[in-house]
């Protein structure tokens, strides 16, 4: 979807780290240059990386170059082979929910064309493919008997990846909940933690002899807040208390799934695929700096901290609202598992200020958003801006490569240098095939060159980053924006499903083969 809208309708889908640089945009830009900003504002472009930095970038031997996708966005076959209805099936089939009335009924038809897509990955020297599974395809109602045809599909997908020399990276849940479970209350229903753990264990039982890399959830803050806090994703509820309950259930589910996967597969390593973005205080005031820390805690650490340390981070102005979230004695032990590695997405940065003096929103409707002048909610009291100092993608997101370095280094510091995987990074541009049949998308190539240069710098400075996944392998269904946004390194003609690798994809394939950017 249009990710500027996507993230500004909340406190950010690509969650935030409190990078306390201080000062307004001008002061921050100067500070970044002073503290070794790796060519920030190169060639007069705010946030850009100098060409010499890009040319010098190198990646370690064995670095995992990859691409990513998500089941609902690419698979199609929404009602084939025993698959049940998901919340996104119901949502997209509801008039007025998605741009152009688009659905994921067919999407990229990867359910039938997965071998073609894996051939593209192999051609481009990829070593990792992050895909997700459809819960409703494996368990049509979310509980009970396994749909053999559904699990067989993922088994064939995994086998094909391994045959191509590609690591299967399974993100178990990427937003598509069986509709039958939504009708039982959805994620605010604490029972879903157990149902989900059963599903995760089932996958590990059937695939764990071959899949060793598992992430229980994709961007859990996003689907809980968007679905239950502000109501712009299914099921369309808008109640902050429901968000708190949903988020707590997901933290319980994350812990229970970790144990279920490990019990089913001795080979399993379990990590994450969180959404993150570095955040910077708008001014040097203590209030803005504290607000930025709260943003970091709520939007970046709210699902990481419980897993790693068994406690909620300091995201609230006051005490943690345990009663409102449905917390029970002993939950801290369920949540704490100590992830084997940490994965996160990066798209753009945030600027944060304190909103403690703003009036709380009235009633139980939509809480404040990044586009409003008041507090996002009465418990965190933060106001978030999406900067436009740097150039923008066609989805309206600011391009700020330095954020990649800042975010990776911050998580490395705060969690004692864990193994890190960049689970997504990408940009929207609408370049189409030219008269030669090629797709010249130089802006996408430039985007990845600069971000990868900053990632290489983080590795050089001690971060243990082992993988980078470009979003995405193919143009796909972009949630509420339907097919109006294109993030893929492979162009898809949705009229006939023809794939054309874009120039950026060809470049990325050369990078993956050489472990450097000057190819």
């Amino acid at each position: 979807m249009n990710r500027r809208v996507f993230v500004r309708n909340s406190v950010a889908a690509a969650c935030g780290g409190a990078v306390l640089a201080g000062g307004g945009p001008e002061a921050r830009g100067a500070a970044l240059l002073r503290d070794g900003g790796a060519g920030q504002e190169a060639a007069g472009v705010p946030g850009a990386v100098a060409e010499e930095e890009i040319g010098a970038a190198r990646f370690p031997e064995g670095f995992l170059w990859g691409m990513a996708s998500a089941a609902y966005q690419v698979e199609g076959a929404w009602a084939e082979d025993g698959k049940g209805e998901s919340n996104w099936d119901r949502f997209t089939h509801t008039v007025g929910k998605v741009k152009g009335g688009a659905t994921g009924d067919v999407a990229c038809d990867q359910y039938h064309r997965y071998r073609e897509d894996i051939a593209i990955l192999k051609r481009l020297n990829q070593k990792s493919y992050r895909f997700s599974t459809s819960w409703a395809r494996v368990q049509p109602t979310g509980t009970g008997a396994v749909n053999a045809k559904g699990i067989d599909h993922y088994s064939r997908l995994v086998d094909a990846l391994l045959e191509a020399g590609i690591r299967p990276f399974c993100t178990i849940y990427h937003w598509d909940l069986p509709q039958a479970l939504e009708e039982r209350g959805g994620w605010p229903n604490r029972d879903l933690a157990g149902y989900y753990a059963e599903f995760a264990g089932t996958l590990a039982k059937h695939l764990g002899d071959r899949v060793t890399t598992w992430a229980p959830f994709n961007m859990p803050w996003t689907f809980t807040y968007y679905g239950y806090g502000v109501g712009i994703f299914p099921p369309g509820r808008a109640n902050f208390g429901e968000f708190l309950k949903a988020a707590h259930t997901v933290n319980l589910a994350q812990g229970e799934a970790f144990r279920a996967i490990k019990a089913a597969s001795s080979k399993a390593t379990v990590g994450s695929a969180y959404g993150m973005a570095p955040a910077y205080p708008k001014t040097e005031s203590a209030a803005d700096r504290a607000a930025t820390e709260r943003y970091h805690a709520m939007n970046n650490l709210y699902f990481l901290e419980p897993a790693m340390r068994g406690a909620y981070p300091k995201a609230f102005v006051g005490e943690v609202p345990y009663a409102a979230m449905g917390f029970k004695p002993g939950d801290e032990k369920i949540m704490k598992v100590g992830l084997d590695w940490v994965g996160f997405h990066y798209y753009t940065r945030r600027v944060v200020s304190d909103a403690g003096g703003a009036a709380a929103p009235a009633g139980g409707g939509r809480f404040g958003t990044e586009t409003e002048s008041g507090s996002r909610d009465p418990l965190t009291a933060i106001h978030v801006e999406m900067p436009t100092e740097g150039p923008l993608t066609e989805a309206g997101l600011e391009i700020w490569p330095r954020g990649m370095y800042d975010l990776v280094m911050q998580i490395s510091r705060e969690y004692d240098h864990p193994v890190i995987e960049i689970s997504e990074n990408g940009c929207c541009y609408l370049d189409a095939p030219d008269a030669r049949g090629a797709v010249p998308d130089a802006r996408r190539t430039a985007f990845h060159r600069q971000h990868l240069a900053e990632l290489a710098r983080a590795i050089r400075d001690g971060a243990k980053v082992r993988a980078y996944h470009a979003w995405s392998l193919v143009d796909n269904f972009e949630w509420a924006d339907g097919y109006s946004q294109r993030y893929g390194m492979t162009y898809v003609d949705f009229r006939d499903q023809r794939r054309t690798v874009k120039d950026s994809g060809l470049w990325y394939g050369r990078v993956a083969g050489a472990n450097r950017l000057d190819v």
Side-chain angles (χ1 to χ4, degrees), residues 99 102-107 476-478 481-486 494:
K99 185 177 290 185
T103 73
D105 290 0
V106 177
N476 54 41
F477 176 85
E478 281 292 339
D481 271 318
Y483 298 99
S484 66
Q485 302 290 334
R486 291 182 178 270
F494 294 106

Side-chain angles (χ1 to χ4, degrees), residues 389-435:
E389 183 181 354
L392 305 181
T393 69
E394 289 185 355
L397 294 185
E398 183 196 44
I399 300 171
W400 200 259
R402 171 61 187 260
M404 174 71 82
Y405 177 87
D406 288 341
L407 181 58
V408 168
M409 297 307 294
Q410 182 172 17
I411 296 300
S412 294
R413 289 192 305 270
E414 293 179 355
Y415 290 91
D416 193 23
H417 290 82
V419 172
I420 290 174
E421 300 219 8
I422 302 303
S423 43
E424 284 184 26
N425 179 230
C427 52
C428 172
Y429 291 110
L430 300 178
D431 304 287
D434 61 16

Side-chain angles (χ1 to χ4, degrees), residues 44 61 69 83-84 111 155 164 171 181 208 236 275 287 311 387 398 434 439 454:
E61 184 178 354
S69 70
K83 178 185 171 295
Y111 186 76
S155 184
T171 303
L181 290 184
E398 183 196 44
D434 61 16
V439 185
E454 288 293 303

Side-chain angles (χ1 to χ4, degrees), residues 223-249:
F223 72 80
T224 53
Y225 187 73
Y226 274 49
Y228 303 97
V230 292
I232 59 174
F233 272 11
R237 301 190 215 172
N239 183 298
F240 192 73
E242 290 288 279
F243 156 68
L244 290 175
K245 290 178 181 177
H248 185 55
T249 299

